[in-house]
């Protein structure tokens, strides 16, 4: 039951909530021992704050839940490849695993030649089509 | 009066406050039209939050003051070269100028081959010795 697809669907639901708020639709959850300990969606417009990416909020929230700043034995599920800022935060967090939906060729950390923490396992392409499509639809709508 | 040295001294005062709290001593202020609109110091230990770097808090605070998420016509003074996370946040913020005290060869964004926003002017080496020394003293104390 607790597959990467299962948890990514919950992250995707967060992206849908962002979309309903006219935010760039990115969602994220953090799982510890098969429990969701943080969920968040992008709120940069609502909060007028460029740092309010889904991942940043989720990292803060998960650390708060755990009572420690390191996210050992935690997995982040995020619908879009993290940007430089969020990748930097993930390095500091020492999160154990990051599962990514869609790639972000332009803003993602991979094409910036950055890596996450040596302890962090990265999995790509879970629900990739849905995670990619919701972004495309959002930006297409804004251009019309 | 309102020189880079003047404002960096105020950022350095923030680093000293961090030191008093046994935090890695990094301080930051953001200035808009010669007014300080944000000041912050590293609080990662106090808040149990890897995202609580001085720069991240200052960006959020300045955007809140301005009522908009872009830090146009703003200058950030920070005692230590920003890390990858903070550099990523600065790119999103489109801040006009960043004035840096000490370099951070290991964790700073420069050696990661990252750049800030094309609109952002970068100035190095203001109060470099003080900003560097407070870091060295902090880590030396922790090793004893």
């Amino acid at each position: 039951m607790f597959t990467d697809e299962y948890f990514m669907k919950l992250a995707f639901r967060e992206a849908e909530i962002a979309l309903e708020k006219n935010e760039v639709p990115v969602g994220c959850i953090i799982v510890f021992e098969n429990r969701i300990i943080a969920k968040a969606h992008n709120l940069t417009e609502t909060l007028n704050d460029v740092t309010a990416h889904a991942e940043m909020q989720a990292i803060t929230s998960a650390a708060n839940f755990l009572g420690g700043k390191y996210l050992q034995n935690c997995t982040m599920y995020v619908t879009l490849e993290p940007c430089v800022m969020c990748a930097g935060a993930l390095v500091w967090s020492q999160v154990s695993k990051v599962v990514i939906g869609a790639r972000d060729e332009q803003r993602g950390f991979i094409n910036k030649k950055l890596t996450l923490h040596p302890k962090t396992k990265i999995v790509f392409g879970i629900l990739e089509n849905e995670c990619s499509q919701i972004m495309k639809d959002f930006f297409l709508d804004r251009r019309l």
Side-chain angles (χ1 to χ4, degrees), chain A residues 13-50:
Chain A
R13 177 65 195 126
E14 288 295 313
E16 290 178 321
I17 297 170
L19 186 66
E20 287 160 16
K21 296 177 180 174
N22 208 26
E23 297 275 359
V24 174
V26 181
C28 176
I29 67 167
I30 295 177
V31 173
F32 173 72
E33 294 177 349
N34 286 332
R35 289 175 62 193
I36 297 165
I37 62 168
K39 55 184 183 176
H41 50 270
N42 179 38
L43 283 174
T44 49
E45 299 300 324
T46 305
L47 298 179
N48 258 333
D49 185 352
V50 297

Side-chain angles (χ1 to χ4, degrees), chain A residues 49-135:
Chain A
D49 185 352
V50 297
T51 75
H53 283 192
E55 301 96 309
M56 302 300 285
Q57 298 174 66
I59 290 168
T60 298
S61 181
N64 189 48
F65 176 88
L66 294 169
K69 63 183 180 157
Y70 296 118
L71 305 184
Q72 282 140 350
N73 302 314
C74 290
T75 299
M76 172 181 284
Y77 294 84
V78 58
T79 58
L80 186 70
E81 180 187 332
C83 74
V84 169
M85 170 179 72
C86 295
L90 285 166
V91 172
W92 289 118
S93 80
Q94 302 186 22
V95 67
S96 299
K97 184 176 165 186
V98 178
V99 181
I100 296 168
R103 286 289 309 275
D104 184 351
E105 303 283 345
Q106 200 183 351
R107 298 285 197 170
F109 73 98
I110 308 276
N111 282 356
K112 307 288 183 192
K113 313 292 182 201
L114 294 173
T115 52
L116 299 186
H117 194 278
K119 289 180 189 167
T120 305
K121 185 181 170 192
I122 307 178
V123 175
F124 284 101
I126 307 297
L127 285 197
E128 186 168 8
N129 289 343
E130 293 89 328
C131 293
S132 175
Q133 196 61 48
I134 196 172
M135 288 290 289

